[in-house]
């Protein structure tokens, strides 16, 4: 069997096992990771590169920073302040999605989610609402917010650099022409119909994320220092380009400072790291790498787009590109999906004599619709343990959002980006 066929079989196995969840998600990921090495598709270094991915380092760091916010009781205090203003669960969901959506427009969506997950768990603890109903809207808003500006997500810049090579470009807020309506409709959806689709799990508090502890004997300086370090970490992430320090390193500095100052003990810091998240994310990155390296991802893309014939309708092409990117991005990273699809889309658009901006916009927006699986984007993976989520929770809550994004995009794209201007 060819490496691309083996990769596609592992992809099929992963999808089936994730849906059935007969074995834990992290174990499925590791079977795929090790299986790709045993079958010779990937070497050991490539297969396990996911475990030293910058996002994994960011996860570990932010679990510790978040753990310190809980360990000191500061998360509960912050949660108490926020819940005074939001009088109902729906109001909280809307408030969280608006704040996260707009922050994610100028910040990395992974960074935004990483910083706000502990705060939202604190809000849930103080308000009495289930955290499983608040964390999913948080990560969905982070993904939607990534489409508000040129720097909102890595895929946006990949499309920009491809356009610049042919003397064209997108404006800084041009993605928001499609991204902002999707964010608005998405927020309205979860405040109304989608509210009923959100998971309703009781999550057992463990380790540093125990919100039932008595925090009355925690010194005030520890509480305030945990909050100050979280804010400084956030500021470092916002000004990542200015200070030249990557997100994961800013998170690592924050985590180390909390341990060195004694705000959180080494034992509690290690307890706060969710290993389920690390194994799930690190393991499935090997599948994403195999889809790229063996050309299996490109094979899927070429087969689907090739089925459209020599001169496809621009509207049909845009729709197919959008749906294909939506599917791929839920199993590959959105950066990898965009990187794979942009050159294919660009050559087809140029061959038709159409404005490539319309097709590339569909490619980027579709590539950000990673709502239907826990492995679609790092933020989704980060909340698996904290929200007590199963694979099907993402499908039930996230799939309608993909439909919304598709409908909104198909209405706006031909108007805002005509094919033959």
């Amino acid at each position: 069997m060819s490496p691309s066929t083996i990769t596609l079989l592992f992809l099929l196995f992963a999808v089936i096992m994730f849906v059935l969840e007969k074995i834990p998600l992290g174990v499925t990921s590791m079977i795929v990771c090790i299986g790709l090495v045993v079958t010779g598709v990937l070497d050991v270094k490539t297969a396990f590169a996911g475990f030293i991915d910058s996002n994994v380092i960011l996860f570990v760091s932010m679990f510790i920073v978040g753990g310190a916010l809980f360990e000191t009781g500061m998360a509960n205090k912050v949660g108490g302040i926020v819940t005074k203003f939001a009088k109902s669960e729906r109001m909280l969901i809307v408030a969280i999605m608006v704040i996260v959506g707009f922050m994610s427009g100028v910040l990395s969506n992974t960074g935004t989610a990483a910083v706000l997950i502990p705060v939202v768990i604190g809000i849930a603890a103080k308000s009495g609402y289930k955290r499983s109903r608040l964390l999913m809207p948080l990560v969905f808003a982070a993904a939607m917010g990534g489409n508000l500006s040129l720097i909102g997500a890595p895929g946006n810049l990949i499309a920009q650099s491809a356009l610049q090579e042919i003397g064209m470009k997108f404006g800084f807020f041009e993605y928001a022409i499609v991204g902002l309506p999707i964010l608005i409709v998405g927020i309205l959806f979860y405040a109304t119909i989608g509210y009923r689709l959100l998971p309703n799990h009781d999550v057992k508090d463990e380790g540093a994320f125990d919100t039932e502890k008595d925090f009355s004997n925690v010194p005030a300086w520890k509480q305030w220092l945990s909050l100050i370090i979280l804010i400084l970490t956030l500021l470092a992430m916002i000004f990542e380009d200015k200070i030249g320090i990557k997100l994961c390193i800013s998170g690592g500095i924050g985590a180390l400072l909390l341990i060195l100052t004694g705000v959180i003990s080494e034992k509690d810091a290690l307890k706060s790291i969710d290993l389920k998240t690390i194994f799930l994310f690190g393991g499935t990155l090997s599948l994403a790498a195999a889809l790229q390296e063996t050309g299996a991802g490109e094979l899927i893309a070429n087969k689907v787009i090739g089925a459209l014939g020599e001169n496809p309708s621009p509207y049909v092409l845009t729709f197919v590109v959008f749906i294909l990117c939506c599917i791929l991005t839920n199993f590959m990273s959105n950066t990898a999906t965009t990187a794979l699809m942009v050159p294919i889309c660009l050559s087809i658009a140029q061959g038709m004599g159409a404005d490539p901006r319309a097709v590339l916009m569909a490619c980027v927006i579709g590539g950000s619709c990673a709502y239907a699986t826990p492995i679609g984007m790092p933020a989704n993976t980060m909340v698996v343990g904290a929200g007590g989520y199963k694979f099907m929770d993402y499908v039930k809550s996230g799939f309608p959002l993909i439909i919304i994004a598709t409908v909104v995009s198909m209405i706006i794209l031909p108007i805002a980006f005509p094919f033959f201007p």
Side-chain angles (χ1 to χ4, degrees):
M1 268 194 289
S2 68
S4 58
T5 307
I6 296 168
T7 302
L8 292 172
L9 287 172
F10 272 116
L11 174 64
L12 184 66
F13 165 78
V15 173
I16 293 166
M17 295 315 294
F18 282 151
V19 171
L20 298 177
E21 224 164 313
K22 294 290 183 193
I23 52 176
L25 298 177
V27 176
T28 298
S29 290
M30 291 313 298
I31 291 171
V32 171
C33 182
I34 290 168
L36 287 165
V37 176
V38 172
T39 53
V41 174
L42 295 176
D43 58 39
V44 175
K45 193 176 177 183
T46 309
F48 288 90
F51 291 96
I52 52 163
D53 183 82
S54 61
N55 280 314
V56 171
I57 298 160
L58 178 67
F59 290 174
V60 170
S61 304
M62 295 314 294
F63 279 136
I64 295 170
V65 173
L69 208 67
F70 280 96
E71 195 61 32
T72 59
M74 198 63 189
N76 279 27
K77 270 191 178 174
V78 173
I81 295 163
V82 174
T83 48
K84 280 180 187 171
F85 298 99
K87 300 296 179 194
S88 69
E89 191 178 40
R90 283 176 205 257
M91 279 178 70
L92 263 180
I93 288 168
V94 171
I96 288 166
M97 291 187 83
V98 169
I99 292 164
V100 174
F102 284 101
M103 273 181 69
S104 184
V106 290
L107 237 179
S108 139
N109 42 26
T110 308
T112 303
V115 170
L116 293 179
I117 285 165
V119 176
V120 170
I121 298 174
I123 291 169
K126 207 67 185 169
S127 64
Y129 300 126
K130 290 181 180 173
R131 66 172 80 158
S132 65
R133 295 183 62 76
L134 301 181
L135 287 172
M136 205 161 269
L138 160 80
V139 294
F140 290 166
M144 289 187 284
N147 292 326
L148 295 183
S149 77
L150 197 57
I151 58 168
N156 303 10
L157 292 166
I158 290 170
Q160 179 78 336
S161 62
L163 274 179
Q164 283 173 338
E165 283 178 22
I166 56 166
M168 300 172 82
K169 63 174 186 174
F170 285 124
F172 189 80
F173 288 113
E174 211 162 350
Y175 286 105
I177 295 169
V178 185
L180 186 59
I182 291 173
L183 178 63
I184 293 166
V185 177
I187 292 170
L188 291 173
F189 174 73
Y190 288 108
T192 52
I193 308 161
Y195 176 77
R196 294 176 185 175
L197 299 174
L198 293 170
N200 195 18
H201 303 314
D202 290 306
V203 185
K204 190 173 175 285
D205 283 316
E206 289 175 351
F209 289 88
D210 184 357
T211 53
E212 301 300 314
K213 279 185 185 174
D214 174 22
F215 301 110
S216 56
N217 58 350
V218 178
W221 70 267
K222 279 192 177 184
Q223 294 189 333
W224 284 106
L225 195 53
S226 70
L227 182 64
I228 289 164
I229 289 174
L230 178 78
I231 292 167
L232 289 174
T233 304
L234 171 63
L235 288 171
M237 288 178 177
I238 292 172
F239 297 107
E240 179 189 10
D241 293 337
K242 296 270 191 297
I243 60 175
I245 299 173
K246 292 195 175 295
L247 298 182
C248 59
I249 303 300
S250 295
I253 293 168
L256 287 170
L257 283 173
L258 287 162
I259 297 168
L260 291 171
T261 53
V263 172
I264 187 171
S265 66
E266 184 195 14
K267 186 182 171 188
D268 285 330
L270 291 172
K271 226 194 286 182
S272 68
I273 299 166
D274 185 357
L275 288 177
K276 184 199 288 186
T277 298
I278 305 301
F279 282 113
L280 175 59
F281 188 77
T284 47
L285 278 186
S286 64
L287 183 59
L291 282 166
Q292 257 181 297
E293 286 207 5
T294 63
E298 198 170 346
L299 185 74
I300 296 168
N302 287 331
K303 287 277 185 202
V304 173
I305 292 174
L308 297 176
E310 285 293 308
N311 287 304
S313 152
Y315 299 100
V316 174
L317 173 68
T318 306
F319 176 73
V320 170
V321 163
F322 193 94
I323 297 298
L324 186 57
C325 288
C326 284
I327 294 166
L328 287 173
T329 194
N330 278 285
F331 298 98
M332 292 170 71
S333 82
N334 49 15
T335 311
T337 300
T338 315
L340 166 73
M341 291 296 293
V342 160
I344 298 171
C345 295
L346 193 61
S347 62
I348 292 169
Q350 285 181 303
M352 292 165 62
D355 182 353
R357 296 177 357 122
V359 191
L360 290 193
M361 182 65 78
C363 176
V364 171
I365 304 287
S368 70
C369 292
Y371 313 122
T373 67
I375 56 169
M377 57 185 174
N380 287 14
T381 319
M382 278 192 91
V383 295
V384 170
Y389 296 132
K390 297 189 180 308
F391 185 89
M392 288 308 291
D393 289 329
Y394 289 87
V395 178
K396 285 174 191 168
S397 303
F399 185 68
L401 191 53
I402 293 177
I403 295 170
I404 288 168
T406 307
V407 172
V408 172
S409 300
M410 290 308 110
I411 293 168
I412 296 173
L413 280 172
I415 301 166
F417 301 96
F419 297 100
F420 303 105

